[in-house]
Amino acid sequence: MTDLLYSEEEEALRAAVRDLLADHCDAPGVIARTESETPHDPELWKALSDGMGLAGLLVPESQGGQGATHREVAVVLEELGRAVAPVPYLTSAVVATEALLACEGEDAAELLAALASGRTVGVLAVSLATAPDALFKAVRHEDGSLYGELTGIADAAAADVLLVPAEDGGLYAVDAAAVTVISQVSLDLTRPVAKVTFDGAPARRVTSDAPTAVRRALRAGAGLLASEQLGLADWSLTETVRYLKERKQFNRPVGGFQALKHRLAQLWLEVVSLRAAARNAADALATGEDVDVAVAVAQAYAAPVAVHAAEEALQLHAGIGMTWEHPVHLYLKRAKADSIAYGTAGGHREALAELVDLQAP
């Protein structure tokens, strides 16, 4: 029987990450960044990766990483979700890293060590909306260079290196300086997406089997995204309860009204259930058991709960929740954007139906 409860080490990791984020990632600072030319926070990324070694959690120690598991990464993502931290952790330390873990050879090993150190940010050049089993767009490879255009690439603006699938079936590493990155309009300003244009960009092949590497990367991304969504939902619930205890109407706390108690109780049940699904997905990725089913279950459930929690937070904070200064809009936008990242809840339900041989209605 798998133990999905947090271990002492995981709780210690959570406390350390939360303390760091409390010092480096306050809401006014995140909001100010979304209004600037650089939504990513390089200092926070350095503190997380260089200071705490979190960028290399999934990388074996023999390859320059920490040799941890997806369970520890899930704890980090919960805290990053709780703070809506504008860092490329999911895209670089999870998705790009998992893609490279599926590759062999010196180039891949060298890149993996660079990503594990955090000094290099890697991004898989596949649209953020792509589900693990979905088809993905590729570019043309000719004489060692790449040509084409890819859209919806999350955190491309922060990348030092891009991992790019080509039409010949290979996955290629391309320096970000060799491509053109143009920002696209993004609802979630803390995880911007971009259009990337390849016009003869020099490329190094890291594997000849891009589909396998991409599928592994997107599956891990989808499974661990549920932990980020859990962090978002948990913050939304906790902050809303705190606010409703403080705010008074008719000389009594608003949280004492029966109708609001029922709404919060329902939300609490959803968040607790999401925690179970997210933990199960992280554990499945760590052990390799029933991974596809666990990831599909987590993503089928996570998006609606995260969006519902953020919507309730916005509504129950009333007028102040509608202001730009209050951070709740950051959580709603991230929850909405996450709801289509690595496949929609409906898409994951369809995938789950096939996996367990259950006919859709």
Side-chain angles (χ1 to χ4, degrees), residues 101-121:
L101 285 168
C103 305
E104 295 175 356
E106 281 185 27
D107 276 345
E110 199 177 293
L111 258 179
L112 198 57
L115 260 61
S117 73
R119 288 188 280 278
T120 296
V121 173

Side-chain angles (χ1 to χ4, degrees), residues 6 73-75 77-78 81 90 191 219-234 271 273-282 285 294-303 305-306 338 341-342 348:
Y6 300 100
V73 173
V75 170
L77 279 166
E78 279 183 43
L90 182 66
R191 183 178 285 144
R219 188 174 69 170
L224 291 170
L225 176 67
S227 290
E228 177 184 292
Q229 289 165 307
L230 169 60
L232 286 169
D234 198 46
V271 172
S273 300
L274 170 54
R275 179 171 284 110
R279 291 296 293 164
N280 186 49
L285 283 162
V295 169
V297 167
Q299 272 308 315
Y301 192 72
V305 173
D338 281 357
Y342 308 120
H348 284 285

Side-chain angles (χ1 to χ4, degrees), residues 236 240 263 267 304-318 322 328 331-332 335-336:
S236 300
T240 304
R263 282 169 69 169
L267 194 56
V305 173
V307 171
H308 182 218
E311 286 176 343
E312 287 287 74
L314 182 70
Q315 192 171 51
L316 295 176
H317 272 82
M322 295 288 182
V328 71
Y331 291 83
L332 181 56
K336 283 281 192 184

Side-chain angles (χ1 to χ4, degrees), residues 15-334:
V17 175
R18 191 175 292 193
D19 285 348
L20 177 72
L21 291 170
D23 292 338
H24 290 81
C25 191
D26 62 336
V30 176
I31 293 170
R33 281 203 165 275
T34 65
E35 298 171 321
S36 72
E37 293 295 309
T38 52
H40 292 101
D41 188 340
E43 287 181 20
L44 175 59
W45 175 249
K46 192 172 190 298
L48 287 164
S49 57
D50 207 16
M52 295 183 72
L54 299 181
L57 285 182
L58 291 177
V59 180
E61 289 183 55
S62 60
Q63 293 176 275
Q66 305 297 322
T69 74
H70 300 79
R71 288 178 60 124
E72 287 81 12
V73 173
V75 170
V76 174
L77 279 166
E78 279 183 43
E79 293 307 311
L80 294 177
R82 188 187 297 276
V84 207
V87 289
Y89 190 82
L90 182 66
T91 42
S92 183
V94 176
V95 177
T97 295
E98 282 277 356
L100 286 170
L101 285 168
C103 305
E104 295 175 356
E106 281 185 27
D107 276 345
E110 199 177 293
L111 258 179
L112 198 57
L115 260 61
S117 73
R119 288 188 280 278
T120 296
V121 173
V123 165
L124 180 67
V126 173
S127 169
L128 181 63
T130 308
D133 284 323
L135 295 173
F136 53 87
K137 192 176 175 187
V139 296
R140 183 165 54 87
H141 178 255
E142 194 177 299
D143 299 329
S145 299
L146 297 182
Y147 300 84
E149 184 179 278
L150 298 169
T151 57
I153 311 302
D155 292 335
D160 299 304
V161 64
L162 295 156
L163 301 175
V164 191
E167 290 167 356
D168 63 3
L171 187 69
Y172 293 85
V174 177
D175 289 335
V179 302
T180 305
V181 177
I182 300 170
S183 293
Q184 292 180 286
V185 177
S186 175
L187 177 64
D188 175 15
L189 299 173
T190 61
R191 183 178 285 144
V193 294
K195 177 172 73 174
V196 182
T197 304
F198 303 84
D199 189 11
R204 313 184 299 282
R205 181 182 290 197
V206 289
T207 181
S208 56
D209 186 7
T212 298
V214 169
R215 183 177 187 278
R216 173 174 174 167
L218 296 183
R219 188 174 69 170
L224 291 170
L225 176 67
S227 290
E228 177 184 292
Q229 289 165 307
L230 169 60
L232 286 169
D234 198 46
W235 180 93
S236 300
L237 174 62
T238 304
E239 281 301 303
T240 304
V241 169
R242 187 184 63 76
Y243 176 73
L244 292 181
K245 282 181 176 177
E246 291 176 359
R247 183 166 177 245
K248 292 190 174 173
Q249 203 172 56
F250 307 118
N251 211 25
R252 60 181 283 198
V254 173
F257 293 116
Q258 190 79 349
L260 298 190
K261 282 183 179 178
H262 285 184
R263 282 169 69 169
L264 292 170
Q266 175 61 37
L267 194 56
W268 181 84
L269 282 172
E270 291 178 14
V271 172
V272 169
S273 300
L274 170 54
R275 179 171 284 110
R279 291 296 293 164
N280 186 49
D283 187 73
L285 283 162
T287 60
E289 293 178 18
D290 285 333
V291 182
D292 291 334
V293 171
V295 169
V297 167
Q299 272 308 315
Y301 192 72
V305 173
V307 171
H308 182 218
E311 286 176 343
E312 287 287 74
L314 182 70
Q315 192 171 51
L316 295 176
H317 272 82
I320 194 171
M322 295 288 182
T323 63
W324 186 257
E325 290 74 21
H326 196 283
V328 71
H329 65 91
L330 295 174
Y331 291 83
L332 181 56
K333 290 167 183 170
R334 174 67 73 89

